[in-house]
Amino acid sequence: MIQPFIEAFFDEPTSTISYLVGDPVTRIAAVIDPVLDFDLPSGLADTR
């Protein structure tokens, strides 16, 4: 059985760790906990 690949990315401004998880055979992947930089005073969000 081939193991999925898992890579973590740290976004310093939001202190968020996002993960890329994928199947190397099918090349299907998903992002887990993507960064959503939400600014409370303005009510705006940015996904950079």
Side-chain angles (χ1 to χ4, degrees), residues 21-41:
V21 180
D23 180 340
V25 175
T26 64
R27 300 180 58 107
I28 295 173
V31 177
I32 300 172
D33 197 16
V35 173
L36 180 61
D37 189 12
F38 180 68
D39 181 53
L40 188 58

Side-chain angles (χ1 to χ4, degrees), residues 11-16 18 33-48:
D11 182 67
E12 194 169 317
T14 60
S15 296
T16 301
S18 301
D33 197 16
V35 173
L36 180 61
D37 189 12
F38 180 68
D39 181 53
L40 188 58
S42 69
L44 298 175
D46 181 24
T47 58
R48 308 185 254 129

